[in-house]
Amino acid sequence: MNVLLTGGTGYIGSHTAVVLSQLGHEVVLYDNLSNSSDAVLEKIAQIVGQDFPFVRGDVRDTELLRNTLASHSMDAVIHFAGLKAVGESVAKPVDYYANNVQGTISLLQAMQAQQVKSLVFSSSATVYGQPQYLPLDENHPTSATNPYGRSKLYIEEMLKDVASSDHGWRIACLRYFNPVGAHQSGLIGENPNGLPNNLMPYIAQVAAGQRSELGVFGDDYPTNDGTGVRDYIHVMDLAEGHAAALDFLTKTTGWHAINLGTGKGYSVLEMVGAFERASSRKVPYRMTSRRAGDVAECYANPKRAGELFKWTARRSLDDMCASTWRFQQSVELGGS
Ligand code: NAD
Ligand code: UDP
């Protein structure tokens, strides 16, 4: 299949590009490099042994998208492009709606014009809001507590309308839980600019000695050790989930929401312990107050993905930590 990856040089996009290419798909990456670097192109070419076509552009540039879809005879799009920092979305809601919602409208216009009607969308478990029960299945009510989450929810709803307006559309909204880890080569991974928002890159930087300690956001949650519990999923499992989604869309039409998670939750302290074992480094931490908007526990019921995609996450927590550490070390050596 010929597949366009918007946001293709980003964290999840670059791993998915590797997996799809190794499965024999022709992949074109499209990105405005607002949160990534074109240096990743060399890395993924090194992993798969061939270059990837790359278009530098914004998803709000409908004409450029349309030309890209036409000139590469695209069959499907995986739409990763978007802004993703919850805190920033509260401070800059207009930027978030413009990038995420307007960007998706622009993409849909280009796809409609070119009659490309297969779309995989990067959604998030954040669309479930405060969990009313666990594990979270796809029938759990949706809600949002911040502009980032709301942008994902609006896009999901918009895509539902598009699929009901024209039965030729095939749309999968993949609700990711907590993607972590890196490609086993250590060549690509998550390397956030500035202070990491997420737990895993923060832990990795503390282990590497770049930061003195981890602040643990709350130790009084109703969980085993009082710290927050999340469903961490290896980014390579997630990438393989996208390949499975594309395959699923060749056999079905309509709109589908599918969780991509492992079904198992780990606490912050369990993550710290696992990382210390994988890196043989100490990760000093200090208990701090809860972070506003955090939920105590969040983990997936991954049954639907198993049934529809014949896919399950198979990599362990040790794999997640070991690959993150390998990537962190390559960053320190100036490799990424
Ligand atoms: P990322 O920031 O590494 O990748 C996103 C890419 O999109 C970046 O390369 C960025 O330059 C690009 N981009 C942003 N706005 C753009 C625009 N207007 N036009 C063109 N390119 C643009 O993030 P990621 O972790 O790879 O996330 C990919 C997608 O998955 C995002 O939509 C994110 O919201 C979603 N998601 C991520 C997580 C997570 O924890 N990483 C969890 C749930 C959902
Ligand atoms: N967390 C933490 N310290 C940090 C970053 C995160 O204790 O510096 C906790 C956070 O409160 C949550 C878990 O780690 O319980 C995962 O947080 P992350 O931001 O990675 O994911 P999300 O909360 O978006 O699921």
Side-chain angles (χ1 to χ4, degrees), residues 107-117 162 165-166 169:
L107 172 65
L108 289 168
Q109 286 169 330
M111 290 177 73
Q112 225 157 20
Q114 288 312 125
Q115 294 289 299
V116 177
K117 294 183 177 175
V162 169
S165 74
D166 170 352
W169 279 90

Side-chain angles (χ1 to χ4, degrees), residues 23-44:
L23 287 171
H25 295 288
E26 297 295 330
V27 176
V28 175
L29 310 185
Y30 185 105
D31 204 298
N32 67 0
L33 302 179
S34 60
N35 196 38
S36 55
S37 152
D38 57 6
V40 84
L41 295 167
E42 217 174 284
K43 310 283 180 190
I44 57 177

Side-chain angles (χ1 to χ4, degrees), residues 111-191:
M111 290 177 73
Q112 225 157 20
Q114 288 312 125
Q115 294 289 299
V116 177
K117 294 183 177 175
S118 290
L119 175 65
V120 176
F121 171 61
S122 294
S123 189
S124 165
T126 191
V127 300
Y128 295 121
Q130 179 76 33
Q132 294 173 17
Y133 59 83
L134 289 164
L136 291 159
D137 60 36
E138 292 84 352
N139 296 322
H140 186 284
T142 52
S143 68
T145 51
N146 55 68
Y148 167 69
R150 210 161 288 124
S151 75
K152 293 290 178 192
L153 209 47
Y154 290 162
I155 294 167
E156 282 206 1
E157 294 298 315
M158 206 162 69
L159 295 177
K160 219 183 270 182
D161 290 338
V162 169
S164 359
S165 74
D166 170 352
H167 296 137
W169 279 90
R170 301 156 187 269
I171 300 177
C173 292
L174 304 184
R175 295 176 175 166
Y176 309 159
F177 280 69
N178 290 59
V180 296
H183 187 263
Q184 58 271 22
S185 62
L187 288 169
I188 53 172
E190 187 177 19
N191 187 19

Side-chain angles (χ1 to χ4, degrees), residues 146-258:
N146 55 68
Y148 167 69
R150 210 161 288 124
S151 75
K152 293 290 178 192
L153 209 47
Y154 290 162
I155 294 167
E156 282 206 1
E157 294 298 315
M158 206 162 69
L159 295 177
K160 219 183 270 182
D161 290 338
V162 169
S164 359
S165 74
D166 170 352
H167 296 137
W169 279 90
R170 301 156 187 269
I171 300 177
C173 292
L174 304 184
R175 295 176 175 166
Y176 309 159
F177 280 69
N178 290 59
V180 296
H183 187 263
Q184 58 271 22
S185 62
L187 288 169
I188 53 172
E190 187 177 19
N191 187 19
N193 294 326
L195 201 66
N197 292 305
N198 296 111
L199 180 67
M200 190 66 137
Y202 208 109
I203 290 181
Q205 293 188 6
V206 173
Q210 284 177 21
R211 302 192 185 276
S212 58
E213 62 180 13
L214 169 75
V216 177
F217 299 152
D219 62 355
D220 56 353
Y221 285 108
T223 60
N224 278 346
D225 60 21
T227 65
V229 167
R230 297 290 183 275
D231 184 338
Y232 298 93
I233 173 168
H234 197 299
V235 68
M236 291 302 291
D237 278 330
L238 195 68
E240 289 168 6
H242 289 74
L246 279 179
D247 193 38
F248 167 70
L249 289 184
T250 62
K251 299 173 199 137
T252 189
T253 57
W255 180 95
H256 307 267
I258 298 106

Side-chain angles (χ1 to χ4, degrees), residues 12 20 28-29 50-52 59 61 63-64 81 87 96 119 121 156 186-187 208 232 262 277 279-280 287 300 304 313:
I12 304 169
L20 293 180
V28 175
L29 310 185
Q50 74 181 57
D51 286 338
F52 286 80
V59 281
D61 186 340
E63 252 337 279
L64 181 60
Y96 272 67
L119 175 65
F121 171 61
E156 282 206 1
L187 288 169
Y232 298 93
T262 66
R277 283 194 301 280
S279 63
S280 304
M287 296 299 177
R304 186 180 286 180

